[in-house]
Amino acid sequence: MTEVNENQKYIVFQLKDEYYGVPVNVVGSIERIQRITRVPNTPSFIKGVINLRGVVTPIIDLRERFNMEPEEYSEQTRIIIVHLDGIDVGLIVDGANDVVDLNQDAIEPPPEVIGQVSVDYIKGVSKNDNRLLILLNLERVLSTEEMDKLASVN
Amino acid sequence: MDTNQYLEVFIDESNENLQVVNDRLLDLENNSDDLTIVNDIFRAAHTLKGMSATMGYEDLADLTHKLENVLDAIRNEKIKVQPSILDVLFDSVEALEDIVGDVSNGGDGKKDVSSIVTKLQAIEAGEDLVSNGSLNKPVSSKGESTIELDEFETTVLDEAKSQGQNIFDINVSLAEDCLLKAARVYMVFEVLEKAGEVIKSIPSVDQLEDEQFEESFQMLFVSDEDADTIQAKIFKVSEVNDVQVNTFNPVNSASNLKEVKNVAEEEVSATVEDSVKDTNKEQKKAVGNKTIRVNIERLDALMNLFEELIIDRGRLEQISQSLEHQDFRETVERMTRTSSELQNVILTMRMVPIDQVFNRFPRMVRNLARDLGKKIDFEIEGAETELDRTVIDEIGDPLVHLIRNAVDHGVEMPDERIGQGKSDTGKLLLKAYHSGNNVFVEITDDGGGINKDRVLQKALSNGIITQEQASNLNDRQIFELIMASGFSTADQISDISGRGVGLDVVKNTIESLGGSIEIDSELGVGTTFSIKLPLTLSIISVMLVVLDDDTYAIPLSSIIETAVINKNDIYKAHGREVIDFRGNIVPLVHLRQVFNFNDMYENDDYYSVILVRKGDQMAGLVVDSFIGQQEIVLKNLGNYLRDVFAVSGATILGDGEVALIVDTNALIK
């Protein structure tokens, strides 16, 4: 992402009652929930892998990733496929149905306490249509280093 | 000029030309008089110069230009080929390869080449004195024509010079029909010792005494007498055909000294002969075929599309079984046959000769042997053996490691070898061949072999095995210990190979390619590393099995057979379940346990067991039920999921579901 003073599009999704955003340029597609093949001996937030048009793609449950209580998948549940630094991952979210334009100026640094997600995973926040949009730091969310640490704890 | 569009072609062709230069230089080392070889090298270098200048890589162009000058001088017989010159030429090629490598990795192709350029210029300019001194005559024994000085010899020469003594470079040719060459040499030496001191002889005194030379030999001689007197004295020895006595100029030699000093073992040159012949054959064959150059990415795309087709084929087969429609079934069967043939064609297209990997080894062995002061006769067999491109890309590093290992730890120092009654020159054989659906690569040395007792001691002291385990190991299992992580048997750590890491990495790499590695060794006789590799990585045959709701795939290559075992036939040993399989006690592994399923499969009185093997060891994998055999397309789990225990990858089944592929190697310990 370039730090130019321009508008950028974000995909908005929900986790519980909070709204999150990821830049549209890292999102490959948004899928409905489908059968996921479990991969044993991995952290519990990794739900497994799916066949995404011929590519075997790992799926992360974002609720579990952020230590929120899990919820049954519903008609609204979506998988957001993101590409980042050669990693393709699907993120399970409660719902995704909006795209917003955000001006870089409108993004503020994350406050110390916000929602349920550790501040490490947040790049910034932005007010939009009377709701607070939390912009995720995907690099951190998908950091495999952290995953290794988690795996060793489990 | 916008040259970007030509960059790919430039890199391809540069690499080809560099390979020609490299191969032909090795040829030249063995046939230093063959000017057609020099012509080949010159042409390749010339092309390279032109291309790099056009593309704007100045360092590359500059270096090739100087290289070309030297080659031109050799071609016109102004310079005589000598090991010292060859070393500089090899260094230049290495630098050129670095630059081209940099360019192909997106670099700007800049490199400081000034030191090599200086050396090349020195050769081009300063050759006269050297060639006057020693090389007016073609020297018959290969390669051994320079006067190489170590520091001691230089000091002696400097001292002699400061004392006003003359230093002569003497070249003596004996009659062709001379019977007692060693005796004549002795007489020449005797004459000379009376008049002064022989500082150095080429070949060495030992070699001369063993008659290891043809007609002529060369000496550095310090004396108070003048050239003519010496010449006359030597001529008094009978059967001496020709004597040339020239003043040797140490100042000139000093400038050559730096290049020359490190040259220890020209004998290595002899080594590459066979491999080079091999390559030549290969090249000639290649010329005969009509070929086109295809970007590897296109082949990958073709392969990917074909993989999609295989997945759909699996689906069609499934449907045809449930439909029971005669025509439909026949059509699907025909399609299956055609696609199998198509698969063969595509796989063959992706096959490249293993020579692509092997061709860098002769020079590597030559340099290693030189640095270590060892003599090694390196041979390559089966360089034309073909392997899938993806395997080729992965196999290079493990082979480099094993060859370094063999040169460093396998082959002994020359005097040690002689002490054991072996020839002072070690043999190293790199061999590739097809067998069934596998390619075997073997690295054999006739060195010291692996000392089993030392391996055991080391493994015990490093805590790799227990005393109890140690007493139960067979030879091969003991040898395998050297590939355990945290193990190194070399008494000294050297730069070449081994800091305790390495062989375990080699083993892991090979196993991750779906291959295996075995070691055979006999103390004092030698060691063979034998690598077995699959022909291709992307499509493999598997046995599909069921675990709960999931389907798992087990590679056929590791399966011995499947069995249904009555629970009454299961015994307990050391708290583990084992079965008696044709007289072997085989431990059972419950895949449900390995993969953390919540409950065990407790349906009936029988276990469905797949017997798998890894080397000599076996295990029985307990599954819920078997589905059957199928060709599948290997997919990896992506960069996010790395190193999942006992899972080597995934595949997509006919119904679109993902099935995980079991890594049986991880389950056998």
Side-chain angles (χ1 to χ4, degrees), chain B residues 381-428:
Chain B
E381 280 180 23
E384 71 286 351
T385 310
E386 290 186 327
L387 261 172
D388 189 275
R389 164 122 209 152
T390 36
V391 188
I392 294 270
D393 288 344
E394 298 291 325
I395 194 64
D397 288 345
L399 283 180
V400 165
H401 203 96
L402 288 174
I403 289 173
R404 280 169 173 257
N405 198 64
V407 174
D408 195 12
H409 304 315
V411 177
E412 313 94 325
M413 297 300 288
D415 42 348
E416 200 179 320
R417 290 183 62 89
I418 289 168
Q420 290 165 0
K422 297 184 192 175
S423 132
D424 63 344
T425 307
K427 273 203 165 56
L428 185 60

Side-chain angles (χ1 to χ4, degrees), chain A residues 40-112:
Chain A
N41 303 315
T42 49
S44 66
F45 63 80
I46 295 179
K47 291 288 118 184
V49 288
I50 61 164
N51 166 17
L52 184 73
R53 289 174 284 279
V55 178
V56 176
T57 310
I59 303 299
I60 292 174
D61 188 319
L62 263 198
R63 270 179 176 258
E64 290 194 50
R65 181 72 181 85
F66 295 145
N67 294 316
M68 300 177 185
E69 67 275 23
E71 177 128 324
E72 287 283 308
Y73 300 142
S74 70
E75 268 298 299
Q76 300 303 313
T77 308
R78 293 289 181 274
I79 301 176
I80 301 179
I81 308 292
V82 296
H83 310 290
L84 200 75
D85 299 336
I87 295 177
D88 286 12
V89 178
L91 308 172
I92 299 181
V93 298
D94 290 354
N97 37 28
D98 205 356
V99 180
V100 296
D101 270 321
L102 282 188
N103 193 295
Q104 295 295 318
D105 286 345
I107 299 174
E108 294 159 26
E112 278 305 309

Side-chain angles (χ1 to χ4, degrees), chain B residues 303-433:
Chain B
M303 192 66 186
N304 285 340
L305 287 173
F306 181 71
E307 287 170 354
E308 299 286 310
L309 211 57
I310 293 275
I311 292 165
D312 288 340
R313 183 182 84 183
R315 178 88 183 122
L316 279 176
E317 280 171 338
Q318 241 173 35
I319 297 171
S320 85
Q321 274 163 16
S322 57
L323 266 187
E324 293 185 24
H325 185 289
Q326 178 79 12
D327 276 359
F328 184 69
R329 205 183 61 223
E330 281 176 11
T331 313
V332 170
E333 278 172 9
R334 241 194 341 269
M335 190 189 128
T336 305
R337 273 199 301 279
T338 316
S339 62
S340 297
E341 279 170 36
L342 184 58
Q343 178 181 338
N344 278 335
V345 173
I346 295 176
L347 288 184
T348 338
M349 268 166 49
R350 294 172 51 88
M351 296 286 224
V352 280
I354 203 167
D355 185 47
Q356 283 203 358
V357 180
F358 283 7
N359 61 25
R360 58 174 145 147
F361 292 144
R363 201 175 71 199
M364 189 184 94
V365 172
R366 173 188 184 274
N367 290 348
L368 284 178
R370 188 188 67 188
D371 293 347
L372 290 165
K374 292 183 178 180
K375 296 185 180 181
I376 292 176
D377 178 11
F378 183 52
E379 278 184 46
I380 291 181
E381 280 180 23
E384 71 286 351
T385 310
E386 290 186 327
L387 261 172
D388 189 275
R389 164 122 209 152
T390 36
V391 188
I392 294 270
D393 288 344
E394 298 291 325
I395 194 64
D397 288 345
L399 283 180
V400 165
H401 203 96
L402 288 174
I403 289 173
R404 280 169 173 257
N405 198 64
V407 174
D408 195 12
H409 304 315
V411 177
E412 313 94 325
M413 297 300 288
D415 42 348
E416 200 179 320
R417 290 183 62 89
I418 289 168
Q420 290 165 0
K422 297 184 192 175
S423 132
D424 63 344
T425 307
K427 273 203 165 56
L428 185 60
L429 173 68
L430 177 62
K431 183 171 154 187
Y433 58 94

